[in-house]
């Protein structure tokens, strides 16, 4: 049911955890399943230096979180804001249709964290 | 990696004795049991021998056994068949909120066709209150359908008491015994059951065969109309090899019911105690004592069941989160929901269904692997961390 | 005594390639295809591979194939399923007088529930007049159900023409192709069919499995409600070994359809010619050319079919008198009846259904044995003697 990439990111999720004194924190709760993701950012000169996440959710949600973190570390805030949920799912080699919503958590939570950073540093 | 199959409530492997008994009926003795020539006579005799074996396991007359293609068909035939045949007497059906979808969706279909259905609630152990069932009876009630054992939690319903109530009020009583059969003693006479559905693939017979017990005198409109098979109660050429297999599986179940139940419940209890001890904030869903010997439904707070199953799967352990036929779907189990389990606990519910082939070593392996999986997932869970934070604040 | 099986319209032996393909799915790969773990993934892939093979044989998309437990279930699902789903559009169904009981009795059931059914007559060859079908259509007609090939006579109906009429009037068209599949080319697209039922055990797959083609966009109320199997069109744990077997049988049929048809029709024709030549006052029932390649329905005046079958059986030859599922019943075939065959001729009708395993030697043996049986029975028959007497009188 899941691609090898999903299984890889699920089994060995990258960047799990918390950043103390994070520059931005955001979270997203899935309206369809109640699953939840929290993202912590470290930002320097508009560049995302580090990302950590905590996820309560299914295999797809955890893999999406991990993939998202890999995709945006080292990117500019704008590039990170441009990241879409579909891009996360695509980078995982696709998700089964009923699991597509799970990847929505990742980009959305990231964007919340960036918004939080921008608001607190405005 | 050793593979461990602990999803025997979803389906079981065909038992070797069953396989051996079926083999001659595919290529060698393949006649249509309804045919009058030699090819049909051979299989006709095998058909009736199998019927006797099924009848013996549940203590009924062979003529009261109707072969079907699966448990779902049996439930549909019982519910829609009685509803149609007794429509002149009333249009009210009583069932529970925790039935298998085969029962629930048959009832929902009937609701669209002029029937009224009462879905009785269950308590925190998934148990039904018989007095509330009796209170729900009206003069329009024509059918009570309550499962013998719940497929997700293993909770055993008080079938004999329900049977007595149904008989007192002269209402047909159907029970979905798909999970109960071969695991606990089932006696349709003692339980005063009028219809009872079983499925082969849950007891070591193959997929594609089941049976419905229909008490003599109970009227039943067929679900599958056509030829005169099964005394006009189920048309279609008999699945002879499958039926032969079901017969042998029933015979085997009859022979070692108590032993198997004891062996499996000892293993199940060890698994349960071990997990509860190793994993704080876990809980068993289902009745503490009135429960199938092979079933353990357990929740580990703060994490999601699907993720647990995926990790187990990657280590070769097959378990599930509720019924297989729902598992491609979103959302929580209607059974755990109906028990009023806290939603986050409910989300992490996973089910182990032990079976004939499981060993103590299998239990050891799950006990070794699962606590680490839970730890890993909890480390990832924001809820778990917030809970620690909340505790720390409280303690400071 | 060599046993000769010539009742392949009743059922067939499982073909060796089919058996081999199924075997791993009983004990080794036994997972529930709806389960998400390794055990379910293995079988889930096999399920979809089988679906593709069935789809290929009838030229449809895999998603349009719904697995069932038999041909009767497919007919019931198609007819009752369309009737329920299109009830808002009308309540009229058109079928023929010579359908299989699975179709006729589904229709009779619907007649009790507010539907009206037109049973079209057939001519002396068992053939349908398409213009009379078109004339029977009303603005309440929601379903046309006409079999592809008749099981008793082998007569092939003009399915493409009926399909065109149904499409023109925007009416769902179901065809019972249980006897046609694997024997003549079947293309749901070319024939503009909307639903089409097949059964495994007629084409070398085992008993207990079938399929219903449901054209994309056709609404269908399930017959078996429950889990989400088969895209909510048929609940119940999949009969995985059977489905795998059906897939392989369809693949085999696809590969040697034309060869087998040629071989069987050559044998059938030799049997037919030989019997007609050896037995005066015999006649073939069915269409002379539009007929299944393997089927011969033949009457020998003045004697009773059951007695012929009994003698054949005692010499190891399995044939039948119409459909197996009716054979425990008294009375004549509704098919032969509807063709207006003289009652005494009709009473002696017997059916040979040739199959994959039959050889020329089998035909020789029947040609050697059957004329003597007929002679023996005629010698016993008062009707035969009176006829001789009548002739003698006429000639004197
Ligand atoms: C034309 C036709 N339709 C339907 C059926 C029913 O198929 P099954 O016996 O698989 O239910 C048969 C065979 O018995 C048949 O010949
Ligand atoms: C309680 C219960 N009822 C009915 C069924 C349906 O049985 P089957 O899958 O054989 O249709 C199942 C199993 O899936 C079950 O557990
Ligand atoms: S099911 Fe909730 S995130 Fe996947
Ligand atoms: S005498 Fe036996 S069927 Fe008529």
């Amino acid at each position: 049911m899941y691609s090898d990439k999903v299984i890889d990111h699920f089994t060995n999720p990258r960047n799990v955890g918390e950043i103390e004194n994070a520059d931005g924190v955001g979270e997203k709760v899935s309206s369809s399943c109640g699953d939840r993701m929290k993202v912590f950012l470290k930002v320097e000169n508009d560049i995302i230096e580090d990302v950590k996440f905590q996820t309560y959710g299914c295999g797809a949600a955890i893999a999406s979180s991990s993939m998202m973190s890999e995709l945006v570390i080292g990117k500019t805030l704008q590039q990170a804001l441009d990241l879409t949920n579909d891009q996360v799912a695509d980078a995982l080699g696709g998700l089964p249709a009923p699991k597509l919503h799970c990847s929505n958590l990742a980009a959305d939570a990231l964007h919340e964290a960036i918004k939080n950073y921008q608001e607190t540093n405005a | 990696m050793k593979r461990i199959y602990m999803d025997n409530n979803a389906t079981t492997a065909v038992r070797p004795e069953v396989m051996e008994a079926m083999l001659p009926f595919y290529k060698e003795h393949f006649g249509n049991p309804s045919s009058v020539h030699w090819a049909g006579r051979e299989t006709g005799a095998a058909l009736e021998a199998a019927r006797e074996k099924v009848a013996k396991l549940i203590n009924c007359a062979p003529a009261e056994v109707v072969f079907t293609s699966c448990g779902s068909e049996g439930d549909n035939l019982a519910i829609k068949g009685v509803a149609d045949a007794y429509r002149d007497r009333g249009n009210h059906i009583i069932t529970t909120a925790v039935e298998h979808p085969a029962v629930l969706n048959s009832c929902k279909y009937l609701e669209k066709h002029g029937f009224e259905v009462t879905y009785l609630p269950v308590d925190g152990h998934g148990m039904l209150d018989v007095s509330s069932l009796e209170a729900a009876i009206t003069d329009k009630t024509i059918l009570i359908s309550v499962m013998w054992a719940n497929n997700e939690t293993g909770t055993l319903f008080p079938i004999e008491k329900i049977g007595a109530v149904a008989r007192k009020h002269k209402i047909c009583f159907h029970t979905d015994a798909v999970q109960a059969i071969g695991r606990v003693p089932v006696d349709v006479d003692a339980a005063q059951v009028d219809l009872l559905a079983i499925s082969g693939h849950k007891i070591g017979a193959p997929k594609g065969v089941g049976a419905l017990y229909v008490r003599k005198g109970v009227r039943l409109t067929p679900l599958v109309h056509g030829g005169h098979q099964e005394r006009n109660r189920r048309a279609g050429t008999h699945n002879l090899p499958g039926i032969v297999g079901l017969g042998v599986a029933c015979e085997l179940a009859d022979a070692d019911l108590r032993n198997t139940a004891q062996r499996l419940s000892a293993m199940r209890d060890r698994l349960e105690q071990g997990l509860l001890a190793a994993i704080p904030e876990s809980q068993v869903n289902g009745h503490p004592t009135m429960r199938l010997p092979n079933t353990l439904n357990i929740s580990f707070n703060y994490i999601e069941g699907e993720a647990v199953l995926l990790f187990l799967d990657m280590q070769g352990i097959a378990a599930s989160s509720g019924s297989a036929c729902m598992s491609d779907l979103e959302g929580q189990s209607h059974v755990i929901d109906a028990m009023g389990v806290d939603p986050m606990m409910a989300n992490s519910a996973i089910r182990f269904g032990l079976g004939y082939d499981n060993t103590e070593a299998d239990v050891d392996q799950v006990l070794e692997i699962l606590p680490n999986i839970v730890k890993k997932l909890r480390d990832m869970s924001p809820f778990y961390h917030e809970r620690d934070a909340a505790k720390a604040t409280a303690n400071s």
Side-chain angles (χ1 to χ4, degrees), chain A, chain B:
Chain A
M1 164 168 123
Y2 287 134
S3 71
D4 289 347
K5 260 225 173 92
V6 174
I7 294 294
D8 175 34
H9 277 266
F10 170 70
T11 326
N12 305 298
R14 302 16 161 197
N15 306 305
V16 176
E18 202 171 337
I19 297 175
E20 287 198 27
N21 306 317
D23 298 322
V25 180
E27 70 168 66
K28 171 81 184 175
V29 177
S30 165
S31 54
S32 58
C33 64
D35 289 357
R36 177 173 163 221
M37 182 181 174
K38 207 167 165 182
V39 172
F40 305 84
L41 296 181
K42 186 138 200 69
V43 182
E44 237 164 77
N45 303 327
D46 254 24
I47 302 280
I48 296 180
E49 288 293 318
D50 197 11
V51 177
K52 291 263 189 269
F53 75 87
Q54 290 174 344
T55 294
Y56 165 80
C58 67
I62 290 169
S64 303
S65 311
S66 166
M67 177 53 84
M68 175 279 291
S69 71
E70 274 205 335
L71 286 174
V72 298
I73 289 178
K75 296 280 158 59
T76 66
L77 288 176
Q78 191 50 51
Q79 284 171 319
L81 281 169
D82 289 343
L83 180 75
T84 65
N85 295 318
D86 287 349
Q87 286 167 346
V88 175
D90 288 347
L92 284 168
L95 285 170
K99 286 285 171 185
L100 272 174
H101 78 266
C102 313
S103 64
N104 294 358
L105 286 177
D108 289 356
L110 169 73
H111 296 160
E112 289 300 319
I114 295 174
K115 216 192 294 169
N116 171 261
Y117 165 79
Q118 288 171 334
E119 277 163 12
T120 50
N121 292 280
Chain B
M1 183 175 65
K2 191 186 175 247
R3 284 179 159 187
I4 294 175
Y5 185 77
M6 283 202 187
D7 197 12
N8 287 282
N9 293 24
T11 195
T12 64
V14 172
R15 291 180 69 172
E17 302 92 324
V18 169
M19 193 70 224
E20 209 176 311
M22 296 195 301
L23 276 179
F25 293 97
Y26 291 99
K27 294 191 295 180
E28 211 180 325
H29 306 306
F30 63 88
N32 190 323
S34 301
S35 295
V36 292
H37 46 61
W38 54 265
R41 284 195 304 273
E42 297 176 337
T43 52
L47 173 66
E48 297 314 320
R51 199 186 301 282
E52 280 172 26
K53 289 175 184 168
V54 176
K56 182 153 177 291
L57 179 64
I58 60 175
N59 191 28
C60 70
E64 294 174 318
V65 172
V66 178
F67 287 115
T68 64
S69 68
C70 62
S72 298
E73 186 193 325
D75 285 332
N76 276 259
L77 172 55
I79 293 169
K80 298 176 189 170
V82 164
D84 190 74
Y86 290 84
R87 184 67 185 82
D88 51 340
R89 286 233 205 127
N91 70 338
H92 180 234
I93 295 169
I94 299 174
T95 187
T96 80
V98 297
E99 299 293 312
H100 188 272
V103 168
L104 291 177
N105 290 336
S106 290
C107 288
K108 293 209 178 104
Y109 163 82
L110 289 174
E111 285 183 290
K112 286 197 197 136
H113 287 79
F115 287 84
E116 277 168 31
V117 183
T118 300
Y119 302 90
L120 296 171
V122 294
D123 69 15
H125 291 143
M127 185 51 76
L128 180 74
D129 174 18
V130 180
S131 63
S132 77
L133 185 149
E134 188 157 16
I137 293 174
T138 74
D139 57 357
K140 296 241 178 294
T141 308
I142 53 169
L143 176 67
I144 294 169
S145 181
V146 176
M147 67 204 318
W148 197 297
N150 184 271
N151 46 309
E152 298 194 24
T153 62
T155 295
L156 289 161
F157 285 104
I159 296 300
E160 300 209 359
K161 285 192 193 135
I162 300 170
V165 168
R167 188 63 58 89
K168 183 171 116 196
H169 294 268
K170 297 199 172 62
I171 298 168
C172 281
F173 175 30
H174 167 61
T175 184
D176 173 344
V178 167
Q179 292 292 344
I181 198 81
R183 299 200 174 120
V184 293
V186 165
D187 180 328
V188 292
D189 220 46
Q192 304 190 60
V193 160
D194 297 309
L195 305 107
L196 176 144
I198 71 174
S199 181
H201 70 97
K202 310 279 186 187
I203 58 165
K207 297 164 180 61
V209 66
L212 180 68
Y213 159 75
V214 184
R215 182 178 294 279
K216 188 168 182 234
V218 168
R219 282 182 281 143
L220 194 72
T221 301
L223 191 66
V224 178
H225 285 88
H228 298 285
Q229 292 93 348
E230 298 299 294
R231 302 174 176 236
N232 295 314
R233 292 168 301 185
R234 206 292 189 180
T237 299
H238 289 97
N239 173 0
L240 215 274
I243 288 169
V244 166
L246 179 61
V248 174
C250 286
E251 192 174 46
L252 292 171
D254 215 9
D256 58 23
L257 191 69
R258 260 156 244 277
N259 280 343
T260 307
Q262 264 172 21
R263 194 166 59 82
L264 294 189
S265 72
M267 284 201 279
R268 191 270 317 269
D269 291 345
R270 193 161 74 84
L271 180 64
E272 178 172 322
Q273 296 313 321
L275 291 176
L276 288 175
I279 306 173
E281 298 191 65
S282 50
Q283 76 173 37
V284 173
N285 305 305
H287 199 278
T289 55
M290 297 294 288
R291 187 147 47 107
L292 285 175
N294 78 318
T295 306
L296 170 60
N297 190 307
I298 187 165
S299 287
F300 313 105
N301 216 359
Y302 310 117
I303 59 178
E304 232 268 341
E306 203 242 44
V308 178
L309 291 176
L310 211 55
F311 268 123
L312 282 173
D313 180 29
M314 285 179 335
Q315 308 211 41
I317 298 165
S320 73
S321 58
S323 55
C325 52
M326 302 298 282
S327 60
D328 43 349
L329 265 212
E330 285 310 309
Q332 264 166 237
S333 147
H334 68 289
V335 176
I336 308 289
D337 248 20
M339 289 161 60
V341 174
D342 164 79
M344 200 181 306
M345 267 294 184
N347 261 334
S348 71
I350 71 170
R351 178 187 71 181
F352 293 97
L354 273 63
Y356 201 80
D357 294 330
N358 285 125
T359 62
E360 296 289 348
D362 294 349
V363 173
D364 291 338
Q365 187 135 346
V366 176
L367 285 175
E368 193 183 313
I369 288 173
L370 184 46
N372 293 325
I373 294 175
V374 173
K375 183 174 179 312
K376 186 160 171 175
L377 286 168
R378 282 187 174 167
D379 281 348
M380 254 185 253
S381 167
F383 293 111
Y384 188 68
H385 289 285
E386 284 158 20
R387 163 199 163 278
D388 279 354
K391 268 199 199 151
T393 317
N395 292 346
S396 67

